[in-house]
């Protein structure tokens, strides 16, 4: 009887440690709240926010990089996610101005040890545009400790320029240099909207560096039926992945997924709430005519990782 109790206790400890070392990491371009046309077309931030927050809670993101959010969007998201905090500053003024590359994390699972930001430019310590970039581009980072295990890691999150080819290549080199110097032998994660797919120069610079590898390539289980940009079109299809999660060799990737979740928004017609013919369904079933919508014009990328 004592041996049985001891065995159960040992197995419980092993299970506890294994679960504690599994982290769900994500990257998500949530679309800025600058475009009035989005709201007019039914894709406004206020409509999308509850869906995004519910998706994050359901899939259990432990820590995730965001792109494009303005300060009020980050505050809205924080209010919708009790137990989460974020780090990151605005790219326009180093305070709250402009888009952020903020990192959200579950405060019950992680303790923030250090954090900072740098601009992807020849001048990294203040707002400016680098190389041939058309906009200021910022990378925010944090050093985190997993509370249950004491394991530490860095997470860097960025949004590369959408036009500057040289800016993207030089930004890739700059970020890798920062990872090497700051993280050293400590595990590191790089998330972001890289604005290039898996066939591009700046992607290849990172993925073949020997420092970081795309989780898509190293995962044990892959769920990726689409690329990561959708332009708010639920019927679109692409193989291009422009949102990526790169990791250092200390991580094992258990699962990788591009989450193509949609939701339903009402269709407004002259007839009001138009019903769908449900003749072939039980009379208790009532279906209204709605349209499929995306929570953002990008799909989030999610990985489940553990330390080797």
């Amino acid at each position: 009887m004592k041996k049985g109790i001891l065995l159960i206790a040992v197995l419980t400890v092993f299970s506890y440690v294994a679960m504690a070392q599994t982290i769900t990491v994500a990257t998500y371009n949530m679309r800025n709240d600058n475009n009035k046309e989005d709201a007019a077309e039914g894709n406004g931030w206020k409509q999308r926010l509850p869906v995004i927050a519910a998706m994050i809670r359901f899939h259990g993101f432990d820590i995730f990089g965001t792109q494009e959010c303005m300060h009020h969007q980050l505050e809205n998201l924080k209010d919708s996610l009790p137990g989460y905090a974020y780090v990151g500053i605005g790219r326009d003024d180093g305070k709250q101005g402009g888009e952020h590359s903020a990192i959200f994390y579950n405060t019950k699972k992680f303790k923030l040890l250090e954090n900072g930001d740098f601009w992807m430019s020849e001048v990294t310590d203040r707002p400016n545009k680098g190389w041939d970039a058309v906009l200021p581009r910022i990378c925010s980072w944090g050093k985190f400790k997993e509370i249950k295990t004491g394991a530490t890691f860095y997470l860097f999150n960025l949004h590369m320029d959408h036009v500057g080819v040289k800016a993207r290549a030089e930004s890739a080199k700059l970020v890798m240099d920062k990872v090497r110097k700051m993280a050293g032998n400590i595990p590191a994660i790089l998330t972001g909207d890289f604005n290039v797919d898996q066939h591009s120069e700046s992607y290849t610079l990172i993925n073949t560096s020997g420092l970081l590898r795309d989780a898509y390539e190293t995962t044990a289980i892959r769920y990726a039926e689409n690329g990561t940009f959708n332009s708010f079109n639920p019927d679109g299809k692409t193989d291009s992945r422009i949102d990526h999660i790169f990791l250092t060799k200390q991580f094992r990737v258990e699962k990788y997924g591009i989450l193509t979740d949609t939701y339903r928004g009402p269709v407004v017609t002259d007839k009001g709430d138009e019903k769908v013919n449900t003749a072939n369904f039980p009379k208790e079933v009532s279906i209204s005519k709605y349209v499929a919508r995306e929570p953002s014009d990008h799909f989030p990328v999610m990985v489940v990782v553990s330390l080797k």
Side-chain angles (χ1 to χ4, degrees), residues 117-131:
D117 314 85
F118 58 88
W119 278 262
M120 292 183 287
S121 169
E122 299 95 327
V123 180
T124 61
D125 63 349
R126 57 184 181 272
N128 70 107
K129 293 182 288 187
W131 303 286

Side-chain angles (χ1 to χ4, degrees), residues 258-284:
I258 297 173
L259 306 181
T260 57
D261 302 45
T262 62
Y263 68 104
R264 300 299 177 267
V267 176
V268 179
T269 69
D270 295 337
K271 298 178 183 179
D273 186 11
E274 188 175 344
K275 299 294 182 181
V276 178
N277 186 351
T278 59
N280 295 325
F281 294 90
K283 63 181 181 179
E284 291 83 4

Side-chain angles (χ1 to χ4, degrees), residues 196-198 200-207 214 217 244 246:
V196 293
D197 71 7
Q198 62 272 26
S200 302
E201 177 190 7
S202 53
Y203 170 91
T204 302
L205 282 170
I206 298 172
N207 198 45
D214 186 353
E217 295 188 352
H244 306 289
F246 296 95

Side-chain angles (χ1 to χ4, degrees), residues 137-263:
R137 296 293 179 175
I138 196 170
C139 178
S140 294
W141 61 269
K143 182 180 181 182
F144 299 91
K145 181 172 76 172
E146 191 179 21
I147 294 171
K148 288 183 178 179
T149 65
T152 60
F153 65 94
Y154 280 82
L155 192 148
F156 295 77
N157 180 57
L158 57 77
H159 187 182
M160 284 194 180
D161 201 68
H162 63 300
V163 174
V165 176
K166 182 178 181 180
R168 289 193 294 262
E170 295 300 325
S171 294
K173 297 173 187 176
L174 172 65
V175 170
M176 287 190 291
D177 185 58
K178 292 285 188 180
V179 171
R180 287 189 183 98
K181 290 179 178 177
M182 294 171 60
N185 294 324
I186 298 175
I189 304 168
L190 172 62
T191 62
D193 174 359
F194 291 75
N195 266 317
V196 293
D197 71 7
Q198 62 272 26
H199 307 295
S200 302
E201 177 190 7
S202 53
Y203 170 91
T204 302
L205 282 170
I206 298 172
N207 198 45
T208 61
S209 65
L211 175 67
L212 296 157
R213 284 288 304 279
D214 186 353
Y216 177 93
E217 295 188 352
T218 62
T219 186
I221 299 173
R222 182 184 300 131
Y223 174 63
E225 297 301 311
N226 207 332
T228 64
F229 183 69
N230 61 62
S231 193
F232 284 127
N233 178 10
D235 297 322
K237 178 72 170 70
T238 180
D239 292 324
S240 291
R241 294 177 282 108
I242 66 174
D243 304 86
H244 306 289
I245 299 177
F246 296 95
L247 305 108
T248 54
K249 64 182 68 175
Q250 296 99 325
F251 287 102
R252 178 183 295 106
V253 185
E254 312 287 351
K255 297 179 182 180
Y256 172 103
I258 297 173
L259 306 181
T260 57
D261 302 45
T262 62
Y263 68 104

Side-chain angles (χ1 to χ4, degrees), residues 80-94:
S80 301
L81 296 173
Y84 285 78
Y86 73 88
V87 295
I89 56 178
R91 70 185 187 189
D92 289 356
D93 62 1

Side-chain angles (χ1 to χ4, degrees), residues 8-56:
I8 292 173
V10 170
L11 291 174
T12 300
V13 170
F14 283 157
S15 175
Y16 171 80
V17 172
M19 289 182 66
Q21 291 181 336
T22 299
I23 303 171
T24 300
V25 183
T27 185
Y28 200 176
N29 182 322
M30 297 184 182
R31 176 72 168 181
N32 66 57
D33 192 23
N34 278 338
N35 196 332
K36 294 181 179 179
E37 292 181 2
D38 286 351
E41 295 172 0
N43 296 314
W45 172 246
K46 290 182 180 179
Q47 180 173 328
R48 300 186 290 109
L49 170 62
V51 182
I52 289 174
M55 182 193 302
I56 290 168

